[in-house]
Amino acid sequence: MALNADAISQQSLPKHIAIIMDGNGRWAQARKRPRAYGHKKGVDSVRSAVQFCTKLGIESLTLFAFSSENWRRPEDEVSTLMELFLFVLSREVKKLHKNNVKLKIIGDISKFPESLQAKVHDAHALTANNTGLTLNVAANYGGRWDIVTAAQSLATQVQQGDISVADITEDALSERLTMAEQSPLDLLIRTGGDYRISNFLLWQAAYAELYFTETLWPDFNEEAFSEAIACYISRERRFGCTGEQIQQLLAESKSTS
């Protein structure tokens, strides 16, 4: 079935995509390099994913950068991740701003160094009014933490007499979760070959399509991303689409812009 740009963009594409970026360490180890090298190469894939979503007109992209469980990793790896995070915030935010991308760091950043927290606040302020892609970066984030924090907010309101227990509904809790103001999650991708969501967006993923791939994150290029979206389209809209068709759509859009 032939697909035109309008058919895909208006009816079929996910509005909100989330990715568990797994496999950086294994990618590096397979090349006899330190795990830190894999994390640095993974930044290239982040850039590619952001550019791809921007071209397709995706509303929100959420990336799992550092989970609340990642503190258990070796100290030197955690230190490298913090340094890389600070570097990316320092070097990439202006580029994101130039391309009308709104950056949001979701998670409990209070455990991060003050210098990193300051960079996060600066990035939020700089990109707050942008109207293009919203890029959510989950840092020290956990799905259970997200739900518990929302529940605590509701409990506090009950305790203060602002609401009653009967007012605690799914909608009320959902409104207090991170990214509540954004479109519901449509597609959750995990790279690296594992088949679990690892405490990521537990509430938000309730009705999302799940896509797992053996591809390690540094190798997750535009073609691999196209295949993930093509799979989503075939499930969600009941008509087939290939990664090549997605690429053709991008080429057609570029030629007419």
Side-chain angles (χ1 to χ4, degrees):
M1 178 177 180
L3 298 176
N4 58 41
D6 291 338
I8 292 180
S9 62
Q10 295 179 9
Q11 299 179 20
S12 306
L13 284 176
K15 293 181 178 179
H16 189 165
I17 301 172
I19 306 177
I20 300 174
M21 307 178 293
D22 198 15
N24 289 332
R26 283 174 286 154
W27 184 90
Q29 289 173 334
R31 290 158 177 77
K32 302 186 185 304
R33 301 292 296 271
R35 291 176 61 87
Y37 178 71
H39 292 305
K40 292 176 181 177
K41 292 297 292 184
V43 173
D44 294 336
S45 292
V46 170
R47 293 192 191 99
S48 175
V50 170
Q51 292 169 1
F52 185 69
C53 286
T54 299
K55 286 190 287 186
L56 281 181
I58 304 299
E59 291 182 8
S60 298
L61 173 64
T62 302
L63 302 176
F64 205 7
F66 190 87
S67 76
S68 51
E69 289 80 18
N70 283 156
W71 294 106
R72 304 170 186 167
R73 293 191 176 189
E75 185 176 346
D76 59 340
E77 184 172 352
V78 171
S79 177
T80 296
L81 287 169
M82 291 299 104
E83 291 174 4
L84 184 60
F85 196 18
L86 184 60
F87 172 80
V88 170
L89 282 174
S90 300
R91 294 289 296 273
E92 300 292 327
V93 172
K94 289 184 179 179
K95 296 178 184 177
L96 294 174
H97 181 53
K98 182 179 179 180
N99 288 284
N100 199 29
V101 174
K102 178 187 290 187
L103 178 65
K104 292 193 66 175
I105 308 300
I106 61 171
D108 181 8
I109 67 169
S110 64
K111 292 186 178 180
F112 291 155
E114 290 186 2
S115 58
L116 185 52
Q117 293 183 48
K119 289 290 185 182
V120 169
H121 293 308
D122 290 345
H124 285 173
L126 179 64
T127 65
N129 295 321
N130 290 343
T131 58
L133 173 73
T134 296
L135 174 61
N136 306 294
V137 178
N140 196 29
Y141 174 91
R144 292 175 178 174
W145 166 86
D146 201 357
I147 295 170
V148 167
T149 301
Q152 288 173 339
S153 175
L154 288 169
T156 298
Q157 288 190 281
V158 171
Q159 189 178 47
Q160 293 173 345
D162 297 330
I163 62 174
S164 68
V165 172
D167 292 322
I168 300 178
T169 63
E170 287 189 14
D171 287 343
L173 194 148
S174 183
E175 288 169 0
R176 289 161 176 79
L177 295 170
T178 56
M179 306 186 299
E181 77 286 0
Q182 299 177 45
S183 296
L185 181 63
D186 295 312
L187 173 62
L188 174 59
I189 300 168
R190 179 169 188 149
T191 65
D194 286 331
Y195 294 82
R196 57 181 179 270
I197 61 175
S198 296
N199 193 26
F200 184 45
L201 302 179
L202 296 180
W203 183 281
Q204 295 88 339
Y207 291 100
E209 292 293 322
L210 307 181
Y211 180 87
F212 301 98
T213 175
E214 299 289 329
T215 304
L216 302 178
W217 177 245
D219 292 327
F220 192 78
N221 54 20
E222 194 168 284
E223 180 180 356
F225 207 160
S226 295
E227 290 299 331
I229 293 180
C231 183
Y232 169 85
I233 291 173
S234 68
R235 297 182 197 174
E236 194 71 10
R237 299 302 178 185
R238 305 302 182 190
F239 57 87
C241 177
T242 65
E244 287 77 7
Q245 286 174 297
I246 296 289
Q247 293 293 328
Q248 183 179 0
L249 169 66
L250 288 174
E252 291 172 356
S253 299
K254 186 175 181 180
S255 64
T256 56
S257 60

